[in-house]
Amino acid sequence: RLNSTIYTDDCLFDGPDPDMPVRGLRKYLSAASHLFERESSHAQLLDVQMHHGGGRRGNGVVVVRWRLGGTLMLPWRPTVKPWTGTTRYHLDEEGLIYMHEEEWDITVLEAFVCTVFPEVGRWIWGGGGPPADADAARQRL
């Protein structure tokens, strides 16, 4: 769960997600809060590092490694396999996060295909053999 008190109101959220970049905490929270089903999704913190004097303004940056997966709140409710990524939280002079910068360890193409065509994604990037109806899956592409 995101603690909004540690962000500036005009924080820049940037990353590979097609909905980014987004400027503003409210805009980001509005989009992020409707992304995953809570009951069937999970987030795991893998590592946290603080780099004093780092970041774009030299006030410090917190680097977090995570694993995320679950069910997206799209009409067909695709389940995305867990993937890992890194978020860099750049701090301002007051120690608040003014920039939230994300990187994924999967490509945007893989994320897109696995979301829109889950059977094809499982076939290409893992999860067994070809889809039950490989011809139909190819035609959807």
Side-chain angles (χ1 to χ4, degrees):
R1 190 156 187 120
L2 189 104
N3 179 349
S4 62
T5 63
I6 62 173
Y7 286 84
T8 61
D9 288 335
D10 65 343
C11 182
L12 177 64
F13 295 84
D14 198 8
D17 190 294
D19 292 332
M20 291 184 168
V22 171
R23 181 164 301 277
L25 182 58
R26 286 189 181 168
K27 273 178 127 173
Y28 178 77
L29 287 174
S30 176
S33 66
H34 296 88
L35 187 57
F36 284 94
E37 284 185 354
R38 287 183 187 220
E39 302 81 32
S40 60
S41 302
H42 61 280
Q44 180 183 9
L45 182 63
L46 302 176
D47 186 45
V48 178
Q49 296 179 11
M50 175 65 187
H51 299 277
H52 298 281
R56 297 207 175 171
R57 295 183 185 169
N59 297 310
V61 63
V62 179
V63 180
V64 176
R65 294 267 314 143
W66 45 263
R67 178 178 294 117
L68 183 65
T71 305
L72 294 176
M73 292 178 57
L74 295 171
W76 62 96
R77 295 293 195 255
T79 299
V80 292
K81 68 179 182 179
W83 80 93
T84 55
T86 303
T87 303
R88 287 176 186 77
Y89 300 98
H90 297 266
L91 306 178
D92 70 5
E93 302 77 27
E94 297 174 20
L96 296 175
I97 299 168
Y98 74 90
M99 184 171 172
H100 170 126
E101 189 176 32
E102 239 176 64
E103 293 178 1
W104 300 345
D105 294 336
I106 62 171
T107 66
V108 173
L109 176 64
E110 181 178 352
F112 175 78
V113 170
C114 290
T115 301
V116 178
F117 307 105
E119 281 188 358
V120 175
R122 282 191 295 276
W123 181 44
I124 296 171
W125 288 285
D133 186 352
D135 289 331
R138 278 192 289 277
Q139 287 175 357
R140 287 188 296 231
L141 289 175

